[in-house]
Amino acid sequence: MARVVAVHGIWHQYSSKFDMRHEWANHLLGGIYSAIGVRSQKLLADAEVECVFYGDVFRKPASMLGPGLVTDPFEVDLLMSWWRAAAAHGSVVSPDERTLAGSDIIRRALIALAGSSFVGKRADSALIFGLGQVRSYFTMPDLRDKILSRFADAIQPDTQVIVAHSLGSVIAYESLFAHPEWSIPALVTLGSPLAVPNLILNRLQPSPDAGPPIRGKRPPQIREWTNIAATNDFVALRKKLGDHFHGKITDWEIDNGGSFHSALRYLNAEVTGRAVASALGYVVS
């Protein structure tokens, strides 16, 4: 059984499917408990939560990025977008692109973000590696297909809701279009970069409508789409997906404290538990 299928985002290359199942199921139950109380004890068994793990595909030496400076144009653009967004929320020093250029501005961006609460104690090389995972997904068709295949293998006839964090929301989105035969009524996206212009939105499969404005298509199976973004989560640069995709999307903004992009903090949030409980058919007052 897999009533809930959950998929992770970046920075999980050193975890495992089993670690993820244990942590994510417990935190999701915490969110459900916050939403409906003691009834959650019988709401969802661990065995009914299937976790899609693909972090190991980024452990191959050919995919590893060294600790040197970022040079790929895609990664540079994404890094600068993160820096500007973090600075807009006051969590890091603001970039001054008028006086910085080339490797200097890249190093300044890495230093600024490495000192932010979002990145925490991750080293520059880990931050670069996170950029590389996003770039690899969009530029390496074989890797993309492998990840999408793992997601497809997790879906069962009884799956009622997909919970997708970070890059996982892109994987879930594209998988739903690749499998129109699936009957899955609900999607919950957490810290999603789906609406990031040019770098993400314009690269989605299927492509968004040209507009203007550019708007992403809606997965045909989904009746309820709940999107949750933390206030200072700069991976979710455009937090209100309802402004950038067709159809109704219920957008929520929450406070994740200093760990803006933490999957676990998203999972145990009351609003996440409420969305999942509702998708499973439980009345949520």
Side-chain angles (χ1 to χ4, degrees):
M1 298 179 65
R3 297 173 71 198
V4 177
V5 170
V7 55
H8 66 78
I10 57 175
W11 289 324
H12 284 266
Q13 63 272 18
Y14 300 117
S15 183
S16 73
K17 180 183 182 72
F18 308 101
D19 292 332
M20 181 181 170
R21 182 197 293 273
H22 176 72
E23 286 191 327
W24 283 45
N26 284 339
H27 280 75
L28 182 56
L29 282 171
I32 293 173
Y33 181 85
S34 296
I36 66 173
V38 295
R39 288 179 294 156
S40 65
Q41 293 174 356
K42 296 183 180 180
L43 175 63
L44 188 67
D46 286 356
E48 295 176 303
V49 179
E50 177 63 24
C51 293
V52 181
F53 180 76
Y54 60 90
D56 59 300
V57 305
F58 293 109
R59 295 186 72 164
K60 296 179 181 180
S63 299
M64 292 292 290
L65 297 176
L69 295 173
V70 178
T71 58
D72 184 274
F74 178 95
E75 295 171 31
V76 171
D77 288 344
L78 184 56
L79 178 67
M80 295 308 298
S81 295
W82 284 0
W83 189 11
R84 293 188 198 101
H89 287 289
S91 62
V92 302
V93 64
S94 177
D96 184 359
E97 297 179 51
R98 294 172 299 176
T99 60
L100 296 174
S103 63
D104 192 14
I105 196 169
I106 298 304
R107 176 55 61 191
R108 286 282 300 276
L110 290 171
I111 292 171
L113 289 172
S116 72
S117 299
F118 169 77
V119 179
K121 297 181 180 179
R122 295 185 177 97
D124 284 0
S125 58
L127 180 57
I128 295 170
F129 195 50
L131 295 167
Q133 289 181 13
V134 180
R135 187 259 305 159
S136 295
Y137 178 80
F138 283 110
T139 61
M140 300 173 64
D142 289 346
L143 182 144
R144 192 177 195 166
D145 289 345
K146 184 174 184 177
I147 293 173
L148 293 175
S149 177
R150 289 194 184 183
F151 188 93
D153 289 343
I155 299 297
Q156 301 297 322
D158 63 334
T159 301
Q160 295 170 271
V161 58
I162 293 169
V163 179
H165 176 246
S166 187
L167 179 60
S169 65
V170 176
I171 295 163
Y173 178 89
E174 294 193 333
S175 294
L176 285 163
F177 278 102
H179 294 274
E181 74 278 9
W182 290 348
S183 178
I184 302 172
L187 172 65
V188 179
T189 48
L190 311 172
S192 173
L194 275 167
V196 176
N198 301 319
L199 296 172
I200 307 293
L201 178 59
N202 299 66
R203 296 169 181 260
L204 293 175
Q205 297 177 359
S207 299
D209 295 337
I214 294 175
R215 295 183 73 87
K217 297 177 173 62
R218 183 185 181 87
Q221 311 94 323
I222 299 301
R223 297 196 299 269
E224 297 290 335
W225 184 347
T226 302
N227 178 63
I228 303 166
T231 301
N232 292 334
D233 186 348
F234 52 83
V235 171
L237 291 176
R238 286 180 168 177
K239 302 187 187 307
K240 193 173 181 181
L241 295 188
D243 290 342
H244 305 286
F245 288 83
H246 290 292
K248 180 183 177 182
I249 300 175
T250 304
D251 286 292
W252 295 91
E253 187 169 333
I254 65 172
D255 181 5
N256 271 351
S259 298
F260 310 143
H261 195 58
S262 166
L264 301 183
R265 293 197 182 187
Y266 272 115
L267 289 167
N268 65 21
E270 183 271 343
V271 68
T272 304
R274 184 176 297 272
V276 172
S278 177
L280 295 175
Y282 290 85
V283 177
V284 181
S285 59

